[in-house]
Amino acid sequence: MAERVEASSVPEGENTIEEREVGAMWELEQKLDQPMDEEANKLNNMYREKGLSMLMLLRLSFQSLGIVYGDLGTSPLYVFYNTFPDGIDDSEDVIGALSLIIYSLLLIPLIKYVFIVCKANDNGQGGTLAIYSLLCRHAKVKLIPNQHRSDEDLTTYSRTVSAEGSFAAKTKKWLEGKEWRKRALLVVVLLGTCMMIGDGILTPAISVLSATGGIKVNNPKMSGDIVVLVAIVILIGLFSMQHYGTDKVGWLFAPIVLIWFLFIGATGMYNICKYDTSVLKAFSPTYIYLYFKRRGRDGWISLGGILLSITGTEALYADIAYFPLLAIQLAFTFFVFPCLLLAYCGQAAYLVIHKEHYQDAFYASIPDSVYWPMFIVATGAAIVGSQATISGTYSIVKQAVAHGCFPRVKIVHTSKKFLGQIYCPDINWILMLGCIAVTASFKKQSQIGNAYGKMTTTSKYKKNYFSQWTAVVLVMLVTTLLMVLIMLLVWHCHWILVLIFTFLSFFVELSYFSAVIFKIDEGGWVPLIIAAISLLVMSVWHYATVKKYEFEMHSKVSMSWILGLGPSLGLVRVPGIGLVYTELASGVPHIFSHFITNLPAIHSVVVFVCVKYLPVYTVPEEERFLVKRIGPKTFRMFRCVARYGYKDLHKKDDDFENKLLTKLSSFIRIETMMEPTSNSSTYSSTYSVNHTQDSTVDLIHNNNNHNHNNNMDMFSSMVDYTVSTLDTIVSAESLHNTVSFSQDNTVEEEETDELEFLKTCKESGVVHIMGNTVVKARTGSWLPKKIAIDYVYAFLAKICRANSVILHVPHETLLNVGQVFYV
């Protein structure tokens, strides 16, 4: 069954006659169907983070090498060549470039990311969307207004309050003041997310091509087609093993990366001692000034090559979901960072003496005795280098889905111990196809040179380094912008500290960006195209999601209308439980009225289920469900709000259904326990009130037949009495202040009867009733909107996973209620 519903606006002048009725109706609605604040207060906050032993911390630090640092660790393969593509004129230029590399590694990966940005994680979750979640909790900037005060009582809903009149409070007020500012913030967040997705396509293609390109070291006459074919085969193998999970992949890749770092560190130390120890003077920043003074514009453009020394840093922040922050900090500070410094210093020492080897500085500087072992490890490390961006892409896509910014995809948790370790099969295959397309495009371009440095200046592979530069630097700029808001609104840092951080970050990153701009036409446009496509998808999906929620809010059914139907709802109440899914945490959804007006029967027990994702990383199991009764007991209608964080997984079995019904049973026990007297009088009084309300509803909606003022007097006089008999919510304070829980036999029998009735209904069957809303552009809409809604969104909605699949609803118990919504 389907229904056509069109969202329309009514001129203000036409509403003036009904203003008093609407106001009184709204007041009654609020009292009949109140928010679940009191239910939230009843929950016990039992959730605690488990500490990690030192042995476990070292183990995770080891595993993080294979997942987080592969891309960053393989940068020594090509940095110096891309910095000096036309050769080295002066040995002092090598010292200047080395100084730039040292301070780039020090300022960006070590200080900014590992010790500042990574601390802005949302209970272990990283990436631009995790920052957005933090901001949503500290300011009202979320565009989907589905948050309630009860959500703030969650253990994981941590936030700080700004002092009135402080700079943070003024910033918050400014950000919340205009709707366009909220939209602009979301666009910035999505831009950073889309750049990360683009990086997830480019980095594996470049890394794997680096590895296969090494085959031509001793076979320069080998066809480029063979190199591309081998790269594609390796890519297919790399993405095919992702379903084994981060834990297993980490154990497989970590030894390779560990050996790689040990090799480059030891080789670097050997080269420093053998060739020129004076390169250590590059630790003085003076040589950076001399470098730019000597090379001028060429030196500034060479910053693009220096930027390659910190690629992979942006993925590091997204990958902190897979490992504890302390494990990542230990691995980078005490192992990765020193090894990288030794590797770059060693290559610089070699180039000072052998400037002619600028094209193959890495392999030329390796001692002959370890050349082939190093070549094999380098090939493996180059392949592993793409894992950081692949894992990071899974993490940010899951967060985007939970925020309503990405089509629904399947999420698989691959570890029972660490919930942050996930796998997205849909995204995995999309990334694989994108990587293959990028790699295969080399075949029709100019000759593929040696990916380890023996590339010609016309090499298409070199141009794809330029494309990676663009993605990396834009993600860093977005992160810096968002971190300014975090430091103000969340950390409440002094404005001087914020200014210092902002100045240093923007100074370094805008310098890199200015160098990358010169290379936009040489491949830098590739990530911009990928990001534009991703941004279109995410923007259209989010826009339609917001409109659907607004439609649900504006078309929800009046509680007084439901109560006016009587306990049977004017239908045949058949045995069983009906779970009606809705986006609303309060009110009766429109699909329910559409359902009962088209079918002559409804289940004996009706539960309105709202599955809501909150801007938190997880919701503890004992705090997940909120349950309350709607209307009198004779109606047997309940509401359940199931709350999830963006890290949580909806279980694939009967757990959700069983836990919901268990929570419902517990609610009935507590509710009956708290009633001081028998409910028999309550039943009779509520039933009589129900009939009186039925006449009240008729009075309100038939203004032509009754006097308006008399109706409203009758309506207002009944509100307090109705609430006193219908509102069965019991506060946490009442629960603890009750003198005695002993009830008379009548109450115990009623509790037993209702629980037995619930059990009988469950045995009769549980049916999941879900809305299937089709969104279409309204007639007369402008052309871009029609394309976005009728084609882009319709296509995405068709190919993405349905809500019933994501929630693992059994197909044999599913009932879809269709409707068409015009925006």
Side-chain angles (χ1 to χ4, degrees), residues 29 48 55 75 115 120 144 151 169 280 294 367 432 465 528 544 584 642 728 750 781 791 798 812:
E29 290 294 319
R48 296 289 184 274
L55 184 62
S75 295
F115 287 105
I144 302 179
D151 300 332
L280 297 180
R294 219 172 14 251
M432 186 189 75
Y465 277 124
L528 298 180
L584 305 177
T728 59
E750 288 172 352
S781 299
Y791 296 97
K798 186 176 182 179
E812 60 274 12

Side-chain angles (χ1 to χ4, degrees), residues 687-708:
Y687 186 74
S688 63
V689 169
N690 178 58
H691 281 284
T692 314
Q693 281 213 326
D694 192 14
S695 61
T696 304
V697 174
D698 291 337
L699 288 172
I700 293 174
H701 290 285
N702 294 279
N703 296 311
N704 295 330
N705 300 327
H706 300 277
N707 181 272
H708 171 70

Side-chain angles (χ1 to χ4, degrees), residues 556-575:
K556 63 182 181 181
V557 181
S558 168
M559 272 300 304
S560 57
W561 180 75
I562 294 292
L563 296 176
L565 296 176
S568 66
L569 300 178
L571 307 168
V572 177
R573 300 296 291 265
V574 297

Side-chain angles (χ1 to χ4, degrees), residues 187-257:
V187 169
V188 170
V189 170
L190 294 183
L191 178 63
T193 303
C194 293
M195 282 296 173
M196 269 298 300
I197 294 175
D199 201 20
I201 293 176
L202 291 172
T203 299
I206 292 174
S207 298
V208 172
L209 203 57
S210 297
T212 55
I215 300 174
K216 301 186 68 175
V217 171
N218 290 329
N219 300 278
K221 296 183 179 180
M222 180 178 292
S223 171
D225 293 345
I226 297 178
V227 175
V228 171
L229 182 61
V230 173
I232 291 175
V233 171
I234 293 176
L235 281 171
I236 293 174
L238 177 65
F239 283 99
S240 297
M241 68 171 61
Q242 295 299 318
H243 72 278
Y244 290 109
T246 307
D247 190 57
K248 294 183 176 63
V249 173
W251 279 113
L252 175 65
F253 288 171
I256 299 174
V257 180

Side-chain angles (χ1 to χ4, degrees), residues 83 100 291-292 294-304 306 515:
T83 305
L100 279 168
Y291 176 79
F292 288 121
R294 219 172 14 251
R295 298 198 67 192
R297 184 176 182 273
D298 291 339
W300 195 262
I301 295 177
S302 69
L303 283 175
I306 303 296

Side-chain angles (χ1 to χ4, degrees), residues 36 38-44 46 607 620-629 638-643 655-671 755 758 762:
M36 295 182 135
E38 296 183 11
E39 286 73 13
N41 289 330
K42 297 177 186 177
L43 297 172
N44 295 321
M46 301 169 56
V607 183
E621 194 67 44
E622 61 274 11
E623 299 181 45
R624 187 171 311 287
F625 295 98
L626 294 178
V627 178
K628 69 170 290 183
R629 186 187 297 276
F638 302 87
R639 179 180 311 289
C640 175
V641 178
R643 303 176 296 182
D655 278 359
F656 176 78
E657 186 178 297
N658 290 333
K659 288 176 181 177
L660 188 153
L661 296 179
T662 300
K663 188 69 177 179
L664 184 58
S665 300
S666 300
F667 169 80
I668 292 173
R669 288 193 187 95
I670 294 176
E671 181 191 45
L755 291 176
L758 184 65
K762 180 183 177 183

Side-chain angles (χ1 to χ4, degrees), residues 102-119 313 329 332-333 337 483 501 504-505:
I102 290 172
Y103 282 97
S104 294
L105 287 170
L106 179 67
L107 293 175
I108 303 299
L110 183 63
I111 295 178
K112 179 188 173 182
Y113 273 88
V114 172
F115 287 105
I116 298 179
V117 174
C118 284
K119 286 184 178 294
T313 306
Q329 289 176 330
F332 186 84
T333 306
F337 184 63
M483 279 301 301
F501 172 83
L504 290 177
S505 298

Side-chain angles (χ1 to χ4, degrees), residues 480-493:
T480 299
L481 186 61
L482 295 176
M483 279 301 301
V484 172
L485 295 176
I486 289 292
M487 296 177 77
L488 289 173
L489 300 180
V490 181
W491 294 348
H492 302 302
C493 296

